[in-house]
């Protein structure tokens, strides 16, 4: 059984070759030997489809020569890649803040509000800064709190998410975030606009 790293590398390589292939199948020799072995293993798990005799004969016509082996990802294989690529890296998930980041602890309702804001992304006139969606997705749960390490720009996005929630529903998240982290959005009546205020 190949290592997890080689296994996932092989699936990614298969996906890349498959997307570039005119007929959607990856042929023998297009993968490294260790990737080829891992793809064979993945086929036994339902993550990869190996071409049967009829398909190999059809591919042989396309290729102008005999095709003895061909493979492509199944839907399950594609889901494995999507899921693993969206999962937090173990070494980053439990690390501390990098330069320019600060510790933020969110309650469940606050985490939910931020996830929704990150999900809406480009549908919003003020989309999240790069990264808060990733931060909340990789947040570490400690008891009733989720720990994440946003930078200052991302913290402003968190405050904006809570502002949106306060107008459409509960103001508790925005109020606690302002008290705890000193960042809030509020209407500025003198300019008839919304303003970010850093209280400290």
């Amino acid at each position: 059984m190949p290592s997890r790293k080689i296994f996932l590398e092989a699936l990614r390589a298969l996906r890349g070759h498959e997307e570039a292939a005119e007929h959607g199948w990856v042929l023998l020799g297009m993968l490294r030997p260790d990737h080829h072995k891992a793809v064979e293993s993945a086929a036994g798990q339902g993550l990869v489809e190996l071409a049967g005799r009829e398909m190999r004969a059809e591919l042989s016509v396309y290729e102008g020569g005999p095709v003895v082996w061909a493979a492509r990802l199944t839907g399950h294989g594609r889901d494995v890649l999507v899921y693993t690529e969206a999962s937090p890296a173990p070494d980053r998930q439990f690390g501390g803040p990098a330069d320019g980041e600060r510790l933020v602890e969110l309650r469940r309702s606050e985490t939910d509000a931020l996830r929704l804001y990150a999900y809406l992304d480009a549908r919003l006139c003020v989309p999240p800064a790069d990264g808060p969606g990733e931060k909340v997705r990789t947040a570490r749960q400690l008891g009733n709190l989720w720990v994440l390490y946003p930078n200052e720009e991302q913290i402003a996005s968190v405050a904006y998410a809570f502002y949106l929630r306060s107008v459409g529903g509960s103001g508790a998240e925005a109020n606690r975030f302002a008290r705890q982290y000193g960042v809030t959005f509020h209407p500025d009546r003198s300019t008839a606009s919304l303003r970010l205020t850093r209280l400290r």
Side-chain angles (χ1 to χ4, degrees):
M1 179 70 181
S3 69
R4 183 177 183 276
K5 179 181 177 182
I6 293 297
F7 189 82
L8 293 175
E9 278 182 2
L11 293 183
R12 292 188 188 101
L14 184 66
R15 178 180 60 187
H17 286 298
E18 181 183 329
E19 290 172 351
E22 184 177 351
H23 42 61
W25 288 86
V26 179
L27 307 182
L28 186 67
M30 297 177 73
L31 296 171
R32 288 174 9 195
D34 57 339
H35 285 175
H36 178 88
K37 184 177 180 180
V39 165
E40 290 274 355
S41 176
Q45 301 177 44
L47 305 180
V48 169
E49 177 187 1
L50 298 179
R53 181 179 299 175
E54 290 185 9
M55 179 53 67
R56 292 199 306 271
E58 188 177 328
L59 290 171
S60 296
V61 174
Y62 290 141
E63 294 295 317
V67 171
V68 297
W69 184 93
R72 64 183 180 186
L73 289 170
T74 64
H76 298 304
R78 292 186 180 279
D79 284 350
V80 164
L81 287 180
V82 170
Y83 187 85
T84 56
E85 288 168 358
S87 298
D91 58 342
R92 186 66 184 96
Q93 182 181 15
F94 302 111
D99 289 343
E101 297 178 340
R102 58 192 283 204
L103 169 69
V104 168
E105 296 177 328
L106 300 180
R107 295 173 178 170
R108 177 59 182 269
S109 63
E110 296 163 347
T111 305
D112 290 343
L114 185 54
R115 283 197 181 106
L116 178 58
Y117 179 55
Y119 169 75
L120 293 172
D121 194 17
R123 293 167 58 185
L124 298 164
C125 292
V126 182
D130 290 341
E134 173 73 8
K135 300 287 185 182
V136 75
R137 186 173 56 75
T138 58
R140 182 182 181 187
Q141 185 177 359
L142 293 176
N144 295 324
L145 296 174
W146 277 257
V147 176
L148 57 154
Y149 303 110
N151 60 33
E152 290 303 316
E153 186 179 9
Q154 293 161 352
I155 285 173
S157 284
V158 175
Y160 189 68
F162 296 160
Y163 165 77
L164 296 178
R165 188 176 181 91
S166 72
V167 175
S170 169
E173 294 80 11
N175 292 336
R176 193 186 85 84
F177 195 74
R179 288 194 307 271
Q180 192 78 18
Y181 302 104
V183 182
T184 185
F185 275 89
H186 62 90
D188 184 344
R189 289 181 172 79
S190 65
T191 60
S193 64
L194 193 65
R195 187 174 68 177
L196 171 67
T197 298
R198 297 186 185 274
L199 305 175
R200 59 177 182 270

